[in-house]
Amino acid sequence: MKSNRLEAFSDGVLAIIITIMVLELKAPEEPSWHELKSTLPVFLSYVFSFVYVGIYWNNHHHLFQATEKVNGKILLANLHLLFWLSLIPFTTSWLGENYTAALPVALYGFDLLMCAIAYFILQGIIINFHDSDSVLKDAIGKDIKGKISLVIYVMGLLLSFYNTWISILCYMLVALIWLMPDKRVEKNMI
Amino acid sequence: MKSNRLEAFSDGVLAIIITIMVLELKAPEEPSWHELKSTLPVFLSYVFSFVYVGIYWNNHHHLFQATEKVNGKILLANLHLLFWLSLIPFTTSWLGENYTAALPVALYGFDLLMCAIAYFILQGIIINFHDSDSVLKDAIGKDIKGKISLVIYVMGLLLSFYNTWISILCYMLVALIWLMPDKRVEKNMI
Amino acid sequence: MKSNRLEAFSDGVLAIIITIMVLELKAPEEPSWHELKSTLPVFLSYVFSFVYVGIYWNNHHHLFQATEKVNGKILLANLHLLFWLSLIPFTTSWLGENYTAALPVALYGFDLLMCAIAYFILQGIIINFHDSDSVLKDAIGKDIKGKISLVIYVMGLLLSFYNTWISILCYMLVALIWLMPDKRVEKNMI
Amino acid sequence: MKSNRLEAFSDGVLAIIITIMVLELKAPEEPSWHELKSTLPVFLSYVFSFVYVGIYWNNHHHLFQATEKVNGKILLANLHLLFWLSLIPFTTSWLGENYTAALPVALYGFDLLMCAIAYFILQGIIINFHDSDSVLKDAIGKDIKGKISLVIYVMGLLLSFYNTWISILCYMLVALIWLMPDKRVEKNMI
């Protein structure tokens, strides 16, 4: 089985997830600065999730760049990843309206954590399937970024019950780790 | 006619169906456990339908893997399948809010049944069109899984008027049949 | 310029149009036959529009099957067609809730008419661009189906102010003309 | 890295943006001319944004026509462009309901300006990456259209606090500049 249809389907789902979130950004009732400002938390949570889904699309793109053939397990692991990603519009919407409450912040982090774990599983299955193919394995390397992300997500999730701003900073930190690659890191670990 | 554009269009429709359902998952009004728990039935019906649409995408992918050329009949049969699949967000939404009432559970099963019948028709037309192409015919084989699914759907549909939990278990059973392929079955029947 | 990206974009837009309409099919408040029946007009208008968008996708597919290269004019004419098609969810939603009132029925027919005209323009531009390419011109032929459709749409549109059922029958008739091709017609006119 | 998956993802996002806006076009409550007319401003803002997203798709198509390989920077710059484009449904919805108020008109213009800047950045990065490839550079040329657009957007944005109709005319002017290419301009600047 070739990977191109899997990529096309994933692209479709990711494109819809990233765009559907904007439907939560309701136009303010009145044309005033005050009303516009009140949409700011929802807007910022949209920006945040857009960046996250963008990073996932980016990494997914890199991962399947090196993957030519797929099997049934890879299809399932990919659907599993898409499932957790598809919940981002829901967790984003709750976060945007309640960014100072522990539960929505924790749930947002939990979904990010599950996405990361699902990505890990998918990556592992792909490496296993291409074991002779050392290019992919080398490219992913020790995946230090991926492992650090998991730890920070768990920290953010737990800290949300103490202070939600620290949690949000944790989630931002992970996004920054993936957005600002230093060359050396990029070469060794994607 | 080549099949790639039919696949791309179907991927698009399936990607939208699978993602649009999440719009039914409204963010709870208040950031409390109690409110979050109240979204559980809607969430579970989302998970359920996600799995079903995922399985259909998977099977559709396999079916057209072996199909190189298509004709007008195949285009129509494919649109017919997409039609019943496109109703899943509607039946899911009704099920999520009324999972203990007979009618929504029966309607959900009815739509799954119609999807299965539409898939049967599509598969039959494709086999007829490629009759010399014994690879496809062999791959699908007697399609025991497909036939068993139809029987369980009808059972689930009828039993919903007796007990909705039994119906839901029936629908779960079909999903499990398709998710857990034993190697031998996979080889002979896709 | 190659036509594949134009096809991919059109597929995306058509897939979204066809699927987004199902969002108008709101789950009934209560799990009763009575409530389910009240969604019937909205459901039937969904079925109707699904068939129409399906036919357009089908014809678009055939048209670009024979089109290898595109120019700026074709891109614009295609966007023009997609614009009128994108209004179908709106006209469908109004029709579903007011199928006995003249204006929604007329507006629905007006949009179908504009889609047909836009398709005509697109087809004409493509033939002009490929003038040496007599295969395409022959395939489309005199386009009797297309011309008859235009006449019936105008009739349906005008008759809606007299009796909406006649209008709806007119629109159904056009759909049937495109769905049931006799072999001879199919060969000569797509 | 090849550019085809970036194009497919962008097509998906653009297709959804262009189609999702129609969801703001709510069917009027009653089947009367009066009610239909009241949807006119929302309809016109939809038309306007449809044209804009269409122009962006067109230009994006041209730009990547000449781009064969992409790097990480191009992926990010493309996501940046898609972000500002994804806000168009939101700004359109606010504009449609408040087209005589300064703030929604200014915000609409601000988003168009950011889209144009993001397109500029993307274009610059692509040219840098293909520096030996003089075809692309020549094709884009001095990009006079692009620069004029930026100036008119800023003017429109500022003038909205004086008179919103002048702003709207400014935005229309930019759309016209891109829709009506004279041959010479098209050759030299895309």
Side-chain angles (χ1 to χ4, degrees):
Chain A
M1 270 191 258
K2 284 182 187 172
S3 68
N4 52 345
R5 200 173 161 191
L6 181 146
E7 290 176 63
F9 180 70
S10 306
D11 277 355
V13 172
L14 288 170
I16 297 158
I17 292 171
I18 219 169
T19 326
I20 240 172
M21 288 187 296
V22 95
L23 291 176
E24 290 299 325
L25 257 181
K26 310 272 183 223
E29 296 282 308
E30 285 180 37
S32 68
W33 269 108
H34 180 75
E35 287 270 321
L36 185 60
K37 256 189 285 180
S38 72
T39 67
L40 198 68
V42 178
F43 174 71
L44 289 179
S45 68
Y46 172 65
V47 175
F48 204 49
S49 296
F50 189 99
V51 170
Y52 258 109
V53 179
I55 290 170
Y56 269 101
W57 177 76
N58 211 332
N59 291 350
H60 195 270
H61 180 107
H62 278 88
L63 185 60
F64 280 90
Q65 195 80 12
T67 312
E68 268 167 43
K69 46 201 170 87
V70 295
N71 61 5
K73 269 190 196 168
I74 294 176
L75 294 185
L76 279 186
N78 190 57
L79 278 172
H80 180 233
L81 172 61
L82 293 178
F83 172 74
W84 292 108
L85 287 169
S86 80
L87 293 179
I88 288 183
F90 169 69
T91 58
T92 302
S93 156
W94 210 29
L95 178 73
E97 283 157 28
N98 304 281
Y99 57 100
T100 53
L103 202 57
V105 177
L107 190 76
Y108 190 84
F110 176 73
D111 193 30
L112 288 182
L113 178 66
M114 293 312 292
C115 291
I117 291 173
Y119 191 82
F120 242 64
I121 295 171
L122 175 63
Q123 193 175 258
I125 291 173
I126 290 175
I127 292 175
N128 261 359
F129 187 55
H130 292 73
D131 49 2
S132 61
D133 203 44
S134 62
V135 181
L136 187 69
K137 214 170 182 174
D138 281 9
I140 293 168
K142 290 178 189 163
D143 195 15
I144 292 171
K145 269 179 163 188
K147 282 166 192 161
I148 291 175
S149 305
L150 289 181
V151 174
I152 305 179
Y153 284 142
V154 174
M155 274 171 55
L157 202 164
L158 295 175
L159 286 168
S160 69
F161 294 96
Y162 174 69
N163 183 323
T164 59
W165 291 108
I166 299 178
S167 301
I168 291 170
L169 282 175
C170 286
Y171 307 155
M172 278 184 182
L173 185 63
V174 178
L176 283 175
I177 288 175
W178 289 98
L179 281 177
M180 294 181 188
D182 71 291
K183 281 290 163 202
R184 208 189 32 188
V185 169
E186 197 170 44
K187 261 190 197 153
N188 294 328
M189 300 185 283
I190 295 190
Chain B
M1 271 190 260
K2 284 182 185 170
S3 68
N4 51 344
R5 200 174 160 190
L6 182 146
E7 290 176 63
F9 181 69
S10 306
D11 277 355
V13 172
L14 289 171
I16 298 158
I17 292 171
I18 219 170
T19 326
I20 239 172
M21 288 186 297
V22 95
L23 291 175
E24 290 299 325
L25 257 181
K26 310 272 184 224
E29 295 283 308
E30 285 180 39
S32 68
W33 269 107
H34 180 76
E35 287 270 321
L36 186 60
K37 256 189 285 179
S38 73
T39 67
L40 199 67
V42 179
F43 174 71
L44 288 178
S45 67
Y46 172 65
V47 175
F48 203 49
S49 296
F50 189 99
V51 169
Y52 257 110
V53 179
I55 290 170
Y56 268 101
W57 177 76
N58 212 333
N59 291 350
H60 194 270
H61 180 107
H62 278 89
L63 186 60
F64 280 90
Q65 195 81 11
T67 311
E68 268 166 43
K69 46 201 171 87
V70 295
N71 61 4
K73 267 190 198 168
I74 294 176
L75 294 185
L76 279 186
N78 191 56
L79 277 172
H80 180 234
L81 171 61
L82 293 179
F83 173 73
W84 292 108
L85 287 169
S86 80
L87 293 179
I88 289 184
F90 169 69
T91 58
T92 302
S93 155
W94 211 29
L95 177 73
E97 282 157 27
N98 305 281
Y99 57 99
T100 53
L103 202 58
V105 177
L107 190 76
Y108 189 84
F110 175 73
D111 192 29
L112 289 181
L113 178 67
M114 293 311 293
C115 290
I117 291 172
Y119 191 83
F120 242 64
I121 294 171
L122 175 63
Q123 193 176 259
I125 291 173
I126 289 176
I127 292 175
N128 261 359
F129 187 54
H130 291 73
D131 47 3
S132 61
D133 203 44
S134 61
V135 180
L136 187 71
K137 213 169 181 173
D138 281 9
I140 293 167
K142 289 176 189 164
D143 194 15
I144 293 171
K145 270 178 162 189
K147 282 166 192 160
I148 292 175
S149 304
L150 289 181
V151 173
I152 305 179
Y153 285 142
V154 174
M155 274 172 55
L157 202 164
L158 295 175
L159 286 169
S160 68
F161 295 95
Y162 175 69
N163 183 323
T164 59
W165 291 108
I166 299 178
S167 302
I168 291 171
L169 282 176
C170 286
Y171 307 155
M172 278 184 183
L173 186 64
V174 178
L176 283 176
I177 288 174
W178 288 98
L179 280 177
M180 294 181 189
D182 72 289
K183 282 289 163 201
R184 210 187 32 188
V185 169
E186 197 171 44
K187 262 190 196 152
N188 295 329
M189 300 185 283
I190 296 190
Chain C
M1 270 190 261
K2 284 182 185 170
S3 68
N4 52 344
R5 200 173 159 190
L6 182 145
E7 289 175 64
F9 181 69
S10 307
D11 277 355
V13 173
L14 289 171
I16 298 158
I17 292 170
I18 220 170
T19 326
I20 239 171
M21 288 186 296
V22 94
L23 291 175
E24 290 300 325
L25 256 182
K26 310 272 183 223
E29 296 283 308
E30 285 179 37
S32 67
W33 268 107
H34 180 74
E35 287 270 322
L36 185 61
K37 256 188 285 180
S38 73
T39 68
L40 199 67
V42 179
F43 174 70
L44 288 178
S45 67
Y46 171 66
V47 175
F48 204 48
S49 297
F50 190 99
V51 169
Y52 257 109
V53 179
I55 290 170
Y56 269 100
W57 177 76
N58 212 333
N59 290 350
H60 195 270
H61 180 107
H62 278 89
L63 186 59
F64 280 90
Q65 195 82 12
T67 311
E68 269 167 42
K69 46 200 170 89
V70 295
N71 61 4
K73 267 189 198 170
I74 294 176
L75 295 185
L76 279 186
N78 191 58
L79 277 172
H80 180 234
L81 171 61
L82 293 179
F83 173 74
W84 292 108
L85 287 169
S86 79
L87 294 178
I88 289 183
F90 169 69
T91 58
T92 302
S93 156
W94 210 29
L95 178 73
E97 283 157 27
N98 305 282
Y99 57 100
T100 53
L103 202 57
V105 177
L107 190 76
Y108 190 84
F110 176 73
D111 192 31
L112 289 181
L113 178 66
M114 293 312 292
C115 290
I117 291 173
Y119 191 83
F120 242 64
I121 295 171
L122 174 64
Q123 193 176 258
I125 291 174
I126 289 175
I127 292 174
N128 261 359
F129 187 56
H130 291 73
D131 48 4
S132 61
D133 202 43
S134 62
V135 180
L136 187 71
K137 213 170 181 174
D138 281 12
I140 294 166
K142 290 178 189 166
D143 194 16
I144 293 171
K145 269 179 165 188
K147 282 166 193 161
I148 292 174
S149 304
L150 288 181
V151 174
I152 305 179
Y153 285 141
V154 174
M155 274 172 55
L157 202 166
L158 296 175
L159 286 169
S160 69
F161 295 95
Y162 175 69
N163 183 325
T164 60
W165 292 109
I166 300 178
S167 301
I168 290 171
L169 283 176
C170 287
Y171 307 155
M172 278 184 183
L173 186 63
V174 178
L176 283 175
I177 289 174
W178 288 98
L179 280 177
M180 294 180 188
D182 71 290
K183 281 292 163 199
R184 209 187 32 187
V185 169
E186 196 170 45
K187 261 189 198 155
N188 295 329
M189 301 185 281
I190 295 191
Chain D
M1 270 190 260
K2 286 182 185 170
S3 68
N4 53 344
R5 200 173 160 190
L6 182 146
E7 290 176 64
F9 181 69
S10 306
D11 277 356
V13 172
L14 289 170
I16 298 158
I17 291 171
I18 219 170
T19 326
I20 240 171
M21 288 187 296
V22 96
L23 291 176
E24 291 299 325
L25 257 182
K26 310 272 183 222
E29 296 283 307
E30 285 179 38
S32 69
W33 268 108
H34 180 75
E35 287 270 322
L36 185 60
K37 255 189 286 181
S38 72
T39 68
L40 199 67
V42 179
F43 175 71
L44 289 179
S45 67
Y46 172 65
V47 176
F48 204 49
S49 296
F50 189 99
V51 170
Y52 257 109
V53 179
I55 291 170
Y56 269 102
W57 177 75
N58 213 332
N59 291 351
H60 194 271
H61 180 107
H62 278 90
L63 185 61
F64 280 90
Q65 195 81 12
T67 311
E68 267 166 43
K69 47 201 169 89
V70 295
N71 60 6
K73 269 189 196 168
I74 295 176
L75 294 185
L76 279 186
N78 190 58
L79 277 172
H80 180 233
L81 172 61
L82 293 179
F83 173 73
W84 292 108
L85 287 169
S86 80
L87 293 179
I88 289 183
F90 169 69
T91 58
T92 303
S93 156
W94 210 29
L95 178 73
E97 282 156 29
N98 304 281
Y99 57 100
T100 53
L103 202 58
V105 178
L107 190 76
Y108 190 84
F110 175 73
D111 193 30
L112 289 181
L113 178 66
M114 293 312 292
C115 290
I117 291 173
Y119 191 82
F120 242 63
I121 294 172
L122 175 63
Q123 194 176 256
I125 290 174
I126 289 175
I127 293 174
N128 260 359
F129 187 55
H130 292 73
D131 47 4
S132 60
D133 203 44
S134 63
V135 180
L136 187 70
K137 213 169 180 174
D138 281 10
I140 293 166
K142 290 178 188 164
D143 195 14
I144 293 171
K145 268 179 165 188
K147 282 166 193 160
I148 291 174
S149 304
L150 289 182
V151 174
I152 305 178
Y153 284 143
V154 174
M155 275 173 55
L157 201 164
L158 295 174
L159 286 168
S160 69
F161 294 95
Y162 174 69
N163 183 324
T164 60
W165 291 108
I166 300 178
S167 302
I168 290 171
L169 283 175
C170 286
Y171 307 155
M172 278 183 183
L173 186 62
V174 178
L176 283 175
I177 289 175
W178 288 99
L179 280 177
M180 293 181 189
D182 72 290
K183 281 291 164 200
R184 207 189 31 187
V185 169
E186 196 171 44
K187 260 190 198 154
N188 294 328
M189 300 185 283
I190 296 193

